[in-house]
Amino acid sequence: MSASERVVIVNFKTYLESSGARAVVLARICESVADETGVTIVVAPPMPDLASVIAAVTIPVFSQHADDLKPGSTTGHVALENILASGAKGTLLNHSERRLRISDISSLVGNAKRNGLSTVVCTNDLPVTRACAGLEPDFVAIEPPELIGGDMSVTTANPEIVSESVRVAKKAFPGVKVLCGAGVKTGEDAAKAIELGTNGVLLASGVVKASDPKRVLLDLAAGVQR
Ligand code: G3P
């Protein structure tokens, strides 16, 4: 796997540390690390900050979620067409904090593909990883919910679920790229993710809540390139 296929996705979630003007500041830091290291860094800012972040950076910006509905007379939802119109390049789907039905994921992945948007489908265990990879998204991201936001990386707490996710996902759809997340904070964690067969990591608190996010991002970028 070449270094250019290695990815760090930073989910800003709804943390205040990564909201409003601070979303733009953090996205610019991510952009500077992507420029300095050559690693692809994708950011998923809070939904109200999508447009301001897209206007401020050239790295890919993703939505944190999409709803399986047509744009128009709906309120408080986000259609893929709205994401496309914002200028975002893709979307997370089925995050542990925003689950979707498999029928909705299937429809969203197909529709995203037709519209040129990338999809990252989050999964919580092996059967879900297998099923979601079979829908042929760009990425699946294995994130055991009990480890999200915690201090121990999934790569240390449960390395088997990461390597097995790679195996079952690639068997279901050889073209899928696999990420892992939950508790990932260091270059060591990211390097272990690569060693376990992934293309990189999806993380949040390790960057968003860091006192020096640039230092953490440089460490993560070095880790995925090891
Ligand atoms: O989407 C990433 C996420 O759920 C992992 O969160 O805070 O454990 O890096 P965190």
Side-chain angles (χ1 to χ4, degrees):
M1 194 193 306
S2 76
S4 61
E5 290 177 293
R6 309 234 170 127
V7 181
V8 174
I9 302 183
V10 185
N11 179 2
F12 290 13
K13 300 199 174 180
T14 53
Y15 286 116
L16 292 178
E17 291 88 339
S18 50
S19 293
R22 298 171 82 180
V24 171
V25 170
L26 184 57
R28 287 201 172 119
I29 293 171
C30 292
E31 179 179 49
S32 72
V33 173
D35 288 347
E36 283 171 38
T37 63
V39 170
T40 299
I41 301 182
V42 176
V43 293
M47 308 300 272
D49 300 315
L50 259 186
S52 57
V53 169
I54 288 164
V57 297
T58 54
I59 56 174
V61 180
F62 281 17
S63 172
Q64 294 181 7
H65 170 74
D67 294 297
D68 184 31
L69 47 75
K70 295 213 180 315
S73 186
T74 55
T75 301
H77 294 87
V78 57
L80 281 175
E81 289 82 353
N82 302 132
I83 294 170
L84 194 63
S86 76
K89 300 293 183 212
T91 185
L92 306 182
L93 293 172
N94 197 44
H95 191 279
S96 173
E97 293 147 6
R98 199 69 163 84
R99 286 289 186 225
L100 289 162
R101 291 181 304 198
I102 189 85
S103 56
D104 293 337
I105 302 170
S106 175
S107 160
L108 284 160
V109 167
N111 196 11
K113 208 169 284 190
R114 284 187 290 280
N115 282 288
L117 288 170
S118 298
T119 48
V120 181
V121 182
C122 299
T123 65
N124 58 310
D125 61 18
L126 295 176
V128 174
T129 300
R130 184 182 294 112
C132 289
L135 303 175
E136 306 194 356
D138 296 284
F139 294 89
V140 289
I142 175 73
E143 296 199 324
E146 67 280 8
L147 297 172
I148 290 179
D151 284 328
M152 189 182 288
S153 168
V154 61
T155 53
T156 305
N158 195 348
E160 299 77 22
I161 201 168
V162 178
S163 51
E164 278 298 288
S165 291
V166 173
R167 190 181 65 76
V168 301
K170 300 271 185 195
K171 193 167 174 206
F173 174 43
V176 75
K177 296 183 203 124
V178 182
L179 305 175
C180 67
V184 171
K185 287 184 171 52
T186 67
E188 206 54 55
D189 300 335
K192 189 69 195 291
I194 297 296
E195 190 187 311
L196 292 167
T198 72
N199 287 72
V201 292
L202 167 62
L203 81 164
S205 53
V207 169
V208 172
K209 296 181 89 67
S211 55
D212 185 350
K214 178 148 187 177
R215 189 188 56 74
V216 173
L217 284 159
L218 285 169
D219 190 33
L220 289 164
V224 297
Q225 284 181 307
R226 260 192 242 165

mmCIF file of all heavy atoms in Angstrom, residues 67-96:
data_model
loop_
_atom_site.group_PDB
_atom_site.id
_atom_site.type_symbol
_atom_site.label_atom_id
_atom_site.label_comp_id
_atom_site.label_asym_id
_atom_site.label_seq_id
_atom_site.Cartn_x
_atom_site.Cartn_y
_atom_site.Cartn_z
ATOM 1 N N ASP A 67 -29.008 11.506 5.496
ATOM 2 C CA ASP A 67 -30.282 10.810 5.622
ATOM 3 C C ASP A 67 -30.700 10.307 4.255
ATOM 4 O O ASP A 67 -30.464 10.972 3.239
ATOM 5 C CB ASP A 67 -31.362 11.763 6.155
ATOM 6 C CG ASP A 67 -31.078 12.194 7.578
ATOM 7 O OD1 ASP A 67 -31.059 11.319 8.461
ATOM 8 O OD2 ASP A 67 -30.857 13.399 7.798
ATOM 9 N N ASP A 68 -31.357 9.153 4.248
ATOM 10 C CA ASP A 68 -31.814 8.594 2.969
ATOM 11 C C ASP A 68 -33.158 9.206 2.603
ATOM 12 O O ASP A 68 -34.214 8.610 2.839
ATOM 13 C CB ASP A 68 -31.908 7.065 3.076
ATOM 14 C CG ASP A 68 -32.296 6.456 1.737
ATOM 15 O OD1 ASP A 68 -31.930 7.045 0.697
ATOM 16 O OD2 ASP A 68 -32.962 5.407 1.738
ATOM 17 N N LEU A 69 -33.113 10.382 2.082
ATOM 18 C CA LEU A 69 -34.348 11.027 1.625
ATOM 19 C C LEU A 69 -34.047 11.980 0.478
ATOM 20 O O LEU A 69 -32.894 12.344 0.251
ATOM 21 C CB LEU A 69 -35.025 11.767 2.779
ATOM 22 C CG LEU A 69 -34.175 12.669 3.677
ATOM 23 C CD1 LEU A 69 -33.810 13.960 3.005
ATOM 24 C CD2 LEU A 69 -34.933 12.944 4.962
ATOM 25 N N LYS A 70 -35.107 12.349 -0.212
ATOM 26 C CA LYS A 70 -34.938 13.274 -1.331
ATOM 27 C C LYS A 70 -34.914 14.697 -0.784
ATOM 28 O O LYS A 70 -35.613 14.997 0.182
ATOM 29 C CB LYS A 70 -36.103 13.126 -2.310
ATOM 30 C CG LYS A 70 -36.142 11.758 -2.986
ATOM 31 C CD LYS A 70 -36.672 11.856 -4.408
ATOM 32 C CE LYS A 70 -36.706 10.499 -5.096
ATOM 33 N NZ LYS A 70 -35.502 9.695 -4.906
ATOM 34 N N PRO A 71 -34.129 15.583 -1.410
ATOM 35 C CA PRO A 71 -34.131 16.970 -0.943
ATOM 36 C C PRO A 71 -35.488 17.612 -1.222
ATOM 37 O O PRO A 71 -36.150 17.247 -2.187
ATOM 38 C CB PRO A 71 -33.036 17.625 -1.798
ATOM 39 C CG PRO A 71 -32.912 16.770 -2.998
ATOM 40 C CD PRO A 71 -33.293 15.378 -2.591
ATOM 41 N N GLY A 72 -35.888 18.530 -0.381
ATOM 42 C CA GLY A 72 -37.157 19.214 -0.612
ATOM 43 C C GLY A 72 -37.879 19.485 0.687
ATOM 44 O O GLY A 72 -37.313 20.085 1.608
ATOM 45 N N SER A 73 -39.077 18.967 0.784
ATOM 46 C CA SER A 73 -39.911 19.313 1.928
ATOM 47 C C SER A 73 -39.615 18.415 3.128
ATOM 48 O O SER A 73 -40.422 17.581 3.537
ATOM 49 C CB SER A 73 -41.384 19.205 1.522
ATOM 50 O OG SER A 73 -42.186 19.672 2.573
ATOM 51 N N THR A 74 -38.401 18.550 3.653
ATOM 52 C CA THR A 74 -38.019 17.862 4.887
ATOM 53 C C THR A 74 -37.226 18.851 5.725
ATOM 54 O O THR A 74 -36.564 19.731 5.174
ATOM 55 C CB THR A 74 -37.148 16.609 4.635
ATOM 56 O OG1 THR A 74 -36.009 17.002 3.856
ATOM 57 C CG2 THR A 74 -37.909 15.524 3.905
ATOM 58 N N THR A 75 -37.271 18.710 7.039
ATOM 59 C CA THR A 75 -36.651 19.700 7.924
ATOM 60 C C THR A 75 -35.766 19.010 8.956
ATOM 61 O O THR A 75 -36.162 18.000 9.529
ATOM 62 C CB THR A 75 -37.753 20.516 8.647
ATOM 63 O OG1 THR A 75 -38.563 21.147 7.651
ATOM 64 C CG2 THR A 75 -37.166 21.576 9.557
ATOM 65 N N GLY A 76 -34.572 19.554 9.139
ATOM 66 C CA GLY A 76 -33.676 19.006 10.156
ATOM 67 C C GLY A 76 -32.974 17.742 9.706
ATOM 68 O O GLY A 76 -32.420 17.002 10.520
ATOM 69 N N HIS A 77 -32.998 17.489 8.402
ATOM 70 C CA HIS A 77 -32.293 16.335 7.851
ATOM 71 C C HIS A 77 -31.226 16.817 6.887
ATOM 72 O O HIS A 77 -31.167 18.000 6.565
ATOM 73 C CB HIS A 77 -33.271 15.415 7.102
ATOM 74 C CG HIS A 77 -34.276 14.765 7.984
ATOM 75 N ND1 HIS A 77 -35.459 15.364 8.313
ATOM 76 C CD2 HIS A 77 -34.257 13.574 8.619
ATOM 77 C CE1 HIS A 77 -36.138 14.566 9.115
ATOM 78 N NE2 HIS A 77 -35.427 13.468 9.317
ATOM 79 N N VAL A 78 -30.410 15.860 6.407
ATOM 80 C CA VAL A 78 -29.431 16.221 5.372
ATOM 81 C C VAL A 78 -29.450 15.172 4.271
ATOM 82 O O VAL A 78 -29.201 13.986 4.511
ATOM 83 C CB VAL A 78 -28.015 16.453 5.971
ATOM 84 C CG1 VAL A 78 -27.524 15.245 6.738
ATOM 85 C CG2 VAL A 78 -27.020 16.835 4.893
ATOM 86 N N ALA A 79 -29.815 15.613 3.082
ATOM 87 C CA ALA A 79 -29.838 14.723 1.916
ATOM 88 C C ALA A 79 -28.462 14.750 1.252
ATOM 89 O O ALA A 79 -27.722 15.736 1.370
ATOM 90 C CB ALA A 79 -30.899 15.197 0.926
ATOM 91 N N LEU A 80 -28.144 13.673 0.536
ATOM 92 C CA LEU A 80 -26.856 13.638 -0.176
ATOM 93 C C LEU A 80 -26.720 14.829 -1.125
ATOM 94 O O LEU A 80 -25.637 15.380 -1.287
ATOM 95 C CB LEU A 80 -26.721 12.339 -0.968
ATOM 96 C CG LEU A 80 -26.326 11.105 -0.180
ATOM 97 C CD1 LEU A 80 -26.356 9.894 -1.095
ATOM 98 C CD2 LEU A 80 -24.950 11.251 0.456
ATOM 99 N N GLU A 81 -27.835 15.207 -1.714
ATOM 100 C CA GLU A 81 -27.794 16.341 -2.655
ATOM 101 C C GLU A 81 -27.419 17.633 -1.932
ATOM 102 O O GLU A 81 -26.792 18.518 -2.514
ATOM 103 C CB GLU A 81 -29.155 16.498 -3.360
ATOM 104 C CG GLU A 81 -29.459 15.384 -4.360
ATOM 105 C CD GLU A 81 -30.011 14.099 -3.728
ATOM 106 O OE1 GLU A 81 -30.052 13.988 -2.486
ATOM 107 O OE2 GLU A 81 -30.411 13.199 -4.490
ATOM 108 N N ASN A 82 -27.829 17.769 -0.657
ATOM 109 C CA ASN A 82 -27.432 18.945 0.124
ATOM 110 C C ASN A 82 -25.926 18.927 0.383
ATOM 111 O O ASN A 82 -25.251 19.963 0.337
ATOM 112 C CB ASN A 82 -28.144 18.982 1.485
ATOM 113 C CG ASN A 82 -29.660 18.985 1.390
ATOM 114 O OD1 ASN A 82 -30.324 18.226 2.083
ATOM 115 N ND2 ASN A 82 -30.206 19.826 0.528
ATOM 116 N N ILE A 83 -25.408 17.733 0.645
ATOM 117 C CA ILE A 83 -23.968 17.577 0.904
ATOM 118 C C ILE A 83 -23.188 17.939 -0.359
ATOM 119 O O ILE A 83 -22.206 18.687 -0.318
ATOM 120 C CB ILE A 83 -23.671 16.134 1.369
ATOM 121 C CG1 ILE A 83 -24.320 15.897 2.738
ATOM 122 C CG2 ILE A 83 -22.169 15.862 1.427
ATOM 123 C CD1 ILE A 83 -24.304 14.461 3.193
ATOM 124 N N LEU A 84 -23.681 17.423 -1.476
ATOM 125 C CA LEU A 84 -23.047 17.714 -2.764
ATOM 126 C C LEU A 84 -23.057 19.222 -3.033
ATOM 127 O O LEU A 84 -22.047 19.815 -3.425
ATOM 128 C CB LEU A 84 -23.805 16.965 -3.864
ATOM 129 C CG LEU A 84 -23.162 16.837 -5.223
ATOM 130 C CD1 LEU A 84 -21.863 16.044 -5.129
ATOM 131 C CD2 LEU A 84 -24.123 16.121 -6.182
ATOM 132 N N ALA A 85 -24.197 19.853 -2.795
ATOM 133 C CA ALA A 85 -24.337 21.295 -3.063
ATOM 134 C C ALA A 85 -23.411 22.119 -2.165
ATOM 135 O O ALA A 85 -22.976 23.210 -2.552
ATOM 136 C CB ALA A 85 -25.785 21.727 -2.857
ATOM 137 N N SER A 86 -23.091 21.595 -0.984
ATOM 138 C CA SER A 86 -22.216 22.346 -0.067
ATOM 139 C C SER A 86 -20.773 22.361 -0.550
ATOM 140 O O SER A 86 -19.980 23.191 -0.126
ATOM 141 C CB SER A 86 -22.271 21.727 1.333
ATOM 142 O OG SER A 86 -21.495 20.528 1.368
ATOM 143 N N GLY A 87 -20.432 21.408 -1.417
ATOM 144 C CA GLY A 87 -19.044 21.290 -1.874
ATOM 145 C C GLY A 87 -18.258 20.223 -1.109
ATOM 146 O O GLY A 87 -17.069 20.029 -1.359
ATOM 147 N N ALA A 88 -18.917 19.529 -0.183
ATOM 148 C CA ALA A 88 -18.239 18.441 0.527
ATOM 149 C C ALA A 88 -17.943 17.300 -0.441
ATOM 150 O O ALA A 88 -18.596 17.150 -1.474
ATOM 151 C CB ALA A 88 -19.102 17.941 1.678
ATOM 152 N N LYS A 89 -16.927 16.516 -0.099
ATOM 153 C CA LYS A 89 -16.473 15.450 -1.004
ATOM 154 C C LYS A 89 -17.009 14.070 -0.629
ATOM 155 O O LYS A 89 -16.809 13.099 -1.367
ATOM 156 C CB LYS A 89 -14.937 15.375 -1.016
ATOM 157 C CG LYS A 89 -14.263 16.655 -1.470
ATOM 158 C CD LYS A 89 -14.549 16.927 -2.933
ATOM 159 C CE LYS A 89 -13.831 18.174 -3.427
ATOM 160 N NZ LYS A 89 -14.571 18.871 -4.461
ATOM 161 N N GLY A 90 -17.613 13.971 0.535
ATOM 162 C CA GLY A 90 -18.103 12.658 0.947
ATOM 163 C C GLY A 90 -18.818 12.747 2.274
ATOM 164 O O GLY A 90 -19.078 13.841 2.792
ATOM 165 N N THR A 91 -19.118 11.583 2.814
ATOM 166 C CA THR A 91 -19.842 11.573 4.093
ATOM 167 C C THR A 91 -19.526 10.323 4.903
ATOM 168 O O THR A 91 -19.267 9.253 4.342
ATOM 169 C CB THR A 91 -21.372 11.674 3.857
ATOM 170 O OG1 THR A 91 -22.027 11.773 5.137
ATOM 171 C CG2 THR A 91 -21.940 10.481 3.101
ATOM 172 N N LEU A 92 -19.522 10.490 6.227
ATOM 173 C CA LEU A 92 -19.565 9.334 7.115
ATOM 174 C C LEU A 92 -21.007 8.840 7.097
ATOM 175 O O LEU A 92 -21.939 9.632 6.928
ATOM 176 C CB LEU A 92 -19.204 9.724 8.557
ATOM 177 C CG LEU A 92 -17.893 10.472 8.822
ATOM 178 C CD1 LEU A 92 -17.722 10.699 10.333
ATOM 179 C CD2 LEU A 92 -16.706 9.702 8.268
ATOM 180 N N LEU A 93 -21.184 7.544 7.270
ATOM 181 C CA LEU A 93 -22.522 6.970 7.371
ATOM 182 C C LEU A 93 -22.533 5.963 8.510
ATOM 183 O O LEU A 93 -21.536 5.271 8.744
ATOM 184 C CB LEU A 93 -22.906 6.234 6.074
ATOM 185 C CG LEU A 93 -23.111 7.081 4.810
ATOM 186 C CD1 LEU A 93 -23.281 6.173 3.584
ATOM 187 C CD2 LEU A 93 -24.313 8.014 4.953
ATOM 188 N N ASN A 94 -23.662 5.880 9.197
ATOM 189 C CA ASN A 94 -23.849 4.848 10.211
ATOM 190 C C ASN A 94 -22.858 4.961 11.367
ATOM 191 O O ASN A 94 -22.454 3.951 11.949
ATOM 192 C CB ASN A 94 -23.763 3.452 9.572
ATOM 193 C CG ASN A 94 -24.348 2.376 10.459
ATOM 194 O OD1 ASN A 94 -25.416 2.560 11.047
ATOM 195 N ND2 ASN A 94 -23.667 1.250 10.588
ATOM 196 N N HIS A 95 -22.459 6.186 11.692
ATOM 197 C CA HIS A 95 -21.587 6.328 12.864
ATOM 198 C C HIS A 95 -22.313 5.780 14.084
ATOM 199 O O HIS A 95 -23.538 5.850 14.187
ATOM 200 C CB HIS A 95 -21.203 7.804 13.076
ATOM 201 C CG HIS A 95 -20.113 7.952 14.084
ATOM 202 N ND1 HIS A 95 -20.346 7.930 15.432
ATOM 203 C CD2 HIS A 95 -18.768 8.071 13.929
ATOM 204 C CE1 HIS A 95 -19.188 8.042 16.077
ATOM 205 N NE2 HIS A 95 -18.223 8.132 15.188
ATOM 206 N N SER A 96 -21.557 5.247 14.985
ATOM 207 C CA SER A 96 -22.105 4.665 16.206
ATOM 208 C C SER A 96 -23.027 5.641 16.952
ATOM 209 O O SER A 96 -23.944 5.219 17.669
ATOM 210 C CB SER A 96 -20.911 4.287 17.070
ATOM 211 O OG SER A 96 -21.305 3.870 18.292
#
